[in-house]
């Protein structure tokens, strides 16, 4: 894709309500600050109660449901600071559940956002393990999406190693959203959540990315590994999503293996859970894993999806609120040994899916089995539809370029004064 190609006009698909939900998410942000103090108190109370729990440790793969989203906004609150700092010392299932509920998870791009070139960043996602990295009280801990510990190590992050004068005060803490790239043993940082005790949850992506670039390098965290700094950190390059930026992210040479493109709305706060203000998009050129594979690494002939069974027999996605895909007969539920909360695997039959404005009007599903216990969440609506489209009529990079070109042409149109 050349950086300044003009493409055919892109026709928007009617299957998605992503744009509507993007607008709603931005509106809710402006109303969110008023209750930040109370939410911070609730979070601190939750962490205190989890710390006092004496439940035994469990295998992280048995985590079957995420906790309800809890927000760590309100950096001015002492309780909020306490909860974030103490979270790194939680143990067992309490720690896993807490951290599993904290990541901001992108939706899959199933329509092209409005104002893509003006309001969005684009970056090439590194292939690897998505995790939080928390540095506090002289140690650094990384945790995967299911909350299990990936590494426990010293680092040059603030409060990340027991060496005076290197990582700042002992009570300082920082939280980074990273992807660990196994090949070069590097933590690639895609977002900054807290820095030296200052919460960035209610800051825009534009501000968070600015801080990430300016602050991380000051600490020496981007330096090669050493005794007090076991792993190197590196900021993932991000670009304004104009023609040049899209071209750089899509085709540019990078030190890591790409796994699709991430798109961040510049005005988005760090929202825990799935959000339409961060999107992921893939094709065969920028990812090895466009279409889901089975346990043998092969693409199945039919698309497989995982849904959650509710009390009333409805099977739903992991979205908040969940999207109803179909309903199971009570006798079938009993015969199959299913129970509310079960994650169930289905294949999409020849009848396919029919969706309008983010709702399933028809879904030809064939029951396969209960999902593997390692699975923590059902599929989201956007993932199901992205995979469905990828097998039939994928959203192409040319469609993204076309939308950017249309926006550029609209910006150049002269204003016409209306005469009386």
């Amino acid at each position: 894709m050349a950086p300044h190609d003009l493409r055919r006009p892109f026709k928007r698909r009617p299957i998605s309500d992503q744009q509507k939900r993007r607008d709603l998410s931005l509106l809710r942000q402006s109303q969110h600050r008023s209750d930040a103090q109370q939410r911070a108190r609730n979070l601190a109370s939750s962490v205190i109660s989890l710390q006092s729990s004496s439940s035994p440790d469990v295998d992280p793969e048995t985590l079957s449901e995420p906790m309800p989203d809890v927000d760590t906004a309100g950096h001015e609150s002492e309780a909020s600071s306490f909860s974030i700092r103490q979270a790194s010392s939680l143990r067992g299932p309490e720690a896993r559940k807490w951290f599993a509920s904290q990541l901001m998870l992108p939706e899959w791009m199933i329509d092209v956002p409005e104002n893509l070139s003006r309001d969005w960043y684009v970056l090439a996602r590194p292939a690897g393990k998505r995790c939080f990295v928390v540095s506090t009280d002289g140690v650094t801990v990384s945790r995967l999406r299911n909350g299990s510990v990936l590494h426990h190590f010293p680092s040059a992050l603030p409060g990340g190693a027991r060496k005076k004068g290197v990582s700042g005060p002992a009570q300082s803490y920082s939280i980074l959203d990273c992807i660990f790239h196994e090949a070069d043993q590097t933590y690639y940082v895609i977002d900054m959540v807290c820095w030296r005790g200052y919460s960035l949850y209610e800051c825009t992506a534009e501000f968070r990315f600015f801080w990430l670039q300016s602050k991380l390098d000051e600490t020496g965290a981007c330096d090669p590994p050493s005794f007090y700094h076991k792993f190197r950190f590196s900021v993932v390059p991000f670009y304004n999503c104009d023609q040049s930026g899209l071209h750089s992210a899509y085709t540019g040479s990078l030190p890591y293996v790409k796994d699709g493109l991430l798109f961040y709305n510049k005005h988005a706060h760090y929202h825990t859970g799935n959000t339409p203000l961060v999107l992921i998009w893939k094709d065969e050129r920028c990812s090895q894993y466009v279409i889901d594979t089975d346990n043998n690494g092969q693409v199945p002939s039919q698309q497989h999806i995982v849904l959650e069974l509710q009390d009333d027999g409805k099977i739903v996605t992991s979205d908040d609120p969940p999207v109803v895909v179909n309903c199971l007969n009570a006798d079938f539920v009993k015969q199959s040994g299913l129970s509310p909360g079960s994650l169930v695997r289905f294949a999409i039959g020849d009848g396919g899916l029919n969706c309008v404005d983010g709702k399933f009007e028809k879904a030809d599903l064939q029951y396969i089995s209960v999902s593997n216990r390692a699975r923590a969440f059902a599929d989201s609506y956007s993932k199901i539809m992205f995979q469905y489209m990828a097998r039939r009529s994928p959203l192409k990079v040319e469609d993204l370029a076309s939308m950017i070109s249309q926006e550029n042409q609209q910006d150049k149109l002269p204003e016409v004064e209306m005469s009386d």
Side-chain angles (χ1 to χ4, degrees):
M1 183 193 72
H4 299 292
D5 279 357
L6 294 180
R7 304 290 182 179
R8 57 179 172 74
F10 175 64
K11 186 176 181 180
R12 196 177 300 276
R13 292 173 170 82
I15 63 169
S16 169
D17 65 344
Q18 264 187 339
Q19 185 59 46
K20 186 189 304 180
R21 289 184 293 105
R22 280 191 283 269
D23 295 338
L24 183 60
S25 294
L26 289 171
L27 177 62
R28 284 176 175 169
Q29 284 186 172
S30 63
Q31 303 168 345
H32 205 46
R33 294 179 181 271
S34 59
D35 64 347
Q37 191 81 6
Q38 183 60 46
R39 287 185 287 109
R41 291 193 190 99
N42 292 342
L43 176 62
S45 298
S46 298
V47 172
I48 291 172
S49 65
L50 289 174
Q51 284 182 305
S52 64
S53 171
S54 57
S55 58
D57 201 358
V58 296
D59 187 333
E61 302 299 356
T62 64
L63 180 61
S64 60
E65 310 182 352
M67 290 179 67
D69 285 348
V70 286
D71 202 306
T72 50
H75 50 263
E76 63 279 73
S77 165
E78 183 177 345
S80 176
S81 298
F82 168 81
S83 65
I84 297 170
R85 186 167 60 250
Q86 293 300 320
S88 62
S89 64
L90 291 173
R91 295 293 182 266
E94 295 90 351
R96 296 186 184 107
K97 289 180 181 179
W98 194 88
F99 277 91
S101 66
Q102 300 306 301
L103 280 170
M104 178 164 66
L105 304 175
E107 290 193 6
W108 291 73
M109 184 187 288
I110 51 180
D111 64 20
V112 183
E114 295 177 356
N115 300 319
L116 183 62
S117 60
R118 293 185 292 273
D119 290 344
W120 293 77
Y121 292 122
V122 60
L123 55 117
R125 183 194 188 279
K129 299 175 179 177
R130 176 84 181 275
C131 58
F132 267 135
V133 175
V134 179
S135 64
T136 182
D137 292 340
V139 71
T140 306
V141 178
S142 58
R143 291 184 182 270
L144 301 175
R145 175 177 167 176
N146 65 8
S148 60
V149 173
L150 177 60
H151 295 129
H152 193 283
F153 61 102
S155 77
L157 294 173
R162 300 187 185 279
K163 185 179 180 182
K164 293 182 179 179
V166 173
S167 295
Q171 293 303 307
S172 177
Y173 63 91
S174 298
I175 303 179
L176 301 177
D177 188 344
C178 303
I179 295 173
F180 183 69
H181 190 253
E182 195 78 34
D184 59 3
Q185 294 286 288
T186 298
Y187 280 96
Y188 286 96
V189 188
I190 59 175
D191 214 329
M192 177 181 283
V193 185
C194 295
W195 188 252
R196 296 188 185 275
Y198 180 80
S199 171
L200 300 173
Y201 280 90
E202 290 190 342
C203 298
T204 65
E206 193 168 25
F207 181 81
R208 295 197 312 274
F209 285 12
F210 166 75
W211 261 50
L212 176 57
Q213 280 197 318
S214 61
K215 299 294 184 182
L216 191 64
D217 195 51
E218 295 174 1
T219 65
C222 298
D223 294 344
S226 63
F227 182 79
Y228 290 103
H229 181 56
K230 187 173 181 180
F231 296 101
R232 180 173 176 265
F233 288 77
S234 180
V235 178
V236 173
F238 63 94
Y239 309 92
N240 287 316
C241 195
D242 50 23
Q243 294 284 8
S244 176
L246 179 63
H247 181 261
S248 296
Y250 184 64
T251 66
S253 177
L254 292 165
Y256 53 80
V257 177
K258 296 179 186 177
D259 186 22
L261 301 183
L262 284 170
F263 297 80
Y264 277 73
N265 187 287
K266 296 179 181 180
H267 310 291
H269 296 175
Y270 196 96
H271 171 80
T272 57
N274 293 325
T275 174
L277 298 178
V278 181
L279 302 170
I280 186 159
W281 173 89
K282 298 181 180 183
D283 72 359
E284 290 79 4
R285 181 169 181 177
C286 67
S287 176
Q288 301 177 45
Y289 312 104
V290 180
I291 297 179
D292 286 348
T293 58
D294 58 21
N295 293 335
N296 298 319
Q298 302 298 314
V299 176
S301 58
Q302 293 177 303
Q303 179 183 346
H304 291 185
I305 64 176
V306 175
L307 301 170
E308 182 177 348
L309 177 64
Q310 293 190 323
D311 293 338
D312 56 3
K314 293 177 180 176
I315 45 175
V316 301
T317 67
S318 62
D319 300 274
D320 182 20
V323 178
V324 177
V325 182
N326 214 319
C327 189
L328 298 182
N329 180 278
D331 291 337
F332 176 81
V333 171
K334 185 177 181 179
Q335 293 171 4
S336 304
L338 303 176
S339 59
S342 294
L343 297 180
V344 189
R345 184 174 297 276
F346 297 90
I348 297 177
D350 294 338
L353 303 174
N354 186 24
C355 307
V356 176
D357 291 333
K359 296 180 180 179
F360 289 97
E361 291 194 341
K362 184 189 72 172
D364 180 10
L365 301 184
Q366 301 170 359
Y367 173 77
I368 298 177
S369 65
V370 176
S371 181
N372 190 300
R373 293 181 69 191
R375 188 70 184 250
F377 307 96
D379 287 329
S380 66
Y381 172 82
S382 63
K383 180 182 179 181
I384 293 171
M385 293 312 303
F386 184 92
Q387 291 284 314
Y388 189 75
M389 292 162 56
R391 287 169 171 265
R392 294 163 176 80
S393 178
L395 187 63
K396 299 179 180 180
V397 69
E398 289 83 5
D399 297 325
L400 306 181
S402 174
M403 178 61 74
I404 294 172
S405 295
Q406 289 181 55
E407 293 172 353
N408 290 342
Q409 291 171 0
Q410 291 172 1
D411 289 342
K412 294 176 181 178
L413 291 176
E415 294 186 5
V416 179
E417 293 186 4
M418 301 297 292
S419 57
D420 293 336

